Amino acid sequence: MRYWFPYPLLSFALMLFWLLINQSLSPAQILLGAALGISHAWLMVNLRPTKTHMKKAWLVGRLMATVVIDVAKSNIMVMGVILRRRNRPVNSGFVPIHLTLRDENALAILACILTATPGSAWLEFDSQTQVLLLHVLDIENGTAWAELIRTRYEAPLKELFE
Amino acid sequence: MSHLTDLPLWAAIPVCILLLVGSIITLIGSIGLLRLNNFYSRLHAPTLGASAGVVLISLASMLCFAVLQNRWIFHEVLIVVFIILTTPVTLMLLGQSALYRDRIEGTHDVPLKEKPVPTPTGTDPD
């Protein structure tokens, strides 16, 4: 099974994308989508991505809900910062965060989350020292930010992947 | 194909609100590019358009064409997915090149890179 279907989740996702782009659920499109999904999974084998297994897939929903709420909040926060008057300068700065997350795919998801959140930008991650350098637009307390990211995102991702 | 004027009022109002709010948020993000005072702060501004802006405008589009064509439309979700997947790439590229420049020039009090523990081979394993 593993030989013929090396990345079943990827194949399924590709088929889903194909059906969404074609906006159809006809058997012909499902068949074509499945063929594309499976053949592209074979191509992925040559790239040798690190394999990850989601342990507790039901936690995805909870993580997504936190992310949506936080993205909405930080959108409003950043709009406030941009529109505030010039005589109150923005207090932005760098926050180094020591991560214990090791899985590459989990780190990629963390990068997507932190980038999609307007208030924070992922600048640099050193895989040897495990230190992530984050730039935060409205910094009140550097350690509070580090703590927030560790408890709100890193802990659920660890639970999900490790 | 149906025309936009066929859109009933009950659908036109939420579509307009979503479109306007989404565009205003994107506009504020672009204004941020002008108003914020250093490069790293300016990195944050366009993310407004890439998060809330794109979600709201896609929702408006989904609602509008779902009502006009009288069927469920979901493929705008792909726009949101691909934007969320690809923004980190450009953002990290820009951020890292700025860090590199500022570390060499020694401006903007950029935190210095911590020296990694040297590996036996002396090369980066990645």
Side-chain angles (χ1 to χ4, degrees), chain B residues 84-125:
Chain B
I84 288 175
L85 285 181
T86 50
T87 25
V89 181
T90 45
L91 200 139
M92 280 181 208
L93 212 65
L94 287 172
Q96 294 220 333
S97 39
L99 267 181
Y100 183 74
R101 181 196 64 192
D102 288 348
R103 274 175 182 152
I104 285 179
E105 291 178 354
T107 44
H108 286 108
D109 10 288
V110 183
L112 289 174
K113 200 178 175 76
E114 281 181 44
K115 279 271 176 280
V117 189
T119 47
T121 50
T123 48
D124 227 343

Side-chain angles (χ1 to χ4, degrees), chain A residues 20-157:
Chain A
L20 272 172
I21 285 176
N22 284 296
Q23 303 185 59
S24 119
L25 274 176
S26 69
Q29 293 292 358
I30 291 176
L31 208 65
L32 196 54
L36 278 172
I38 292 163
S39 56
H40 281 80
W42 289 337
L43 291 180
M44 273 301 274
V45 175
N46 295 327
L47 294 175
R48 297 175 208 279
T50 48
K51 282 217 176 187
T52 310
H53 294 285
M54 272 202 257
K55 300 276 160 54
K56 299 171 178 168
W58 66 89
L59 289 173
V60 173
R62 210 176 63 191
L63 181 65
M64 273 175 75
T66 356
V67 171
V68 168
I69 292 168
D70 287 358
V71 168
K73 269 195 215 157
S74 79
N75 263 289
I76 294 166
M77 192 270 292
V78 171
M79 277 193 277
V81 168
I82 290 171
L83 295 178
R84 89 166 53 147
R85 275 189 267 139
R86 266 173 210 271
N87 49 21
R88 277 174 57 204
V90 193
N91 194 11
S92 63
F94 298 93
V95 185
I97 300 172
H98 191 268
L99 293 179
T100 47
L101 203 63
R102 287 202 167 267
D103 189 284
E104 276 181 25
N105 296 319
L107 283 168
I109 294 178
L110 186 65
C112 284
I113 293 173
L114 290 180
T115 321
T117 315
S120 59
W122 170 302
L123 285 181
E124 183 182 61
F125 179 69
D126 191 326
S127 58
Q128 285 184 326
T129 54
Q130 290 275 96
V131 174
L132 160 69
L133 187 62
L134 199 69
H135 187 267
V136 177
L137 185 57
D138 196 6
I139 198 167
E140 282 155 34
N141 193 338
T143 47
W145 261 94
E147 204 47 49
L148 184 95
I149 280 155
R150 255 186 238 124
T151 52
R152 267 184 101 84
Y153 305 125
E154 195 194 1
L157 279 170

Side-chain angles (χ1 to χ4, degrees), chain B residues 38-62:
Chain B
N38 72 52
F39 179 81
Y40 300 101
S41 303
R42 281 195 289 272
L43 272 182
H44 297 282
T47 324
L48 281 175
S51 59
V54 85
V55 170
L56 292 175
I57 293 170
S58 309
L59 272 177
S61 155
M62 273 159 94

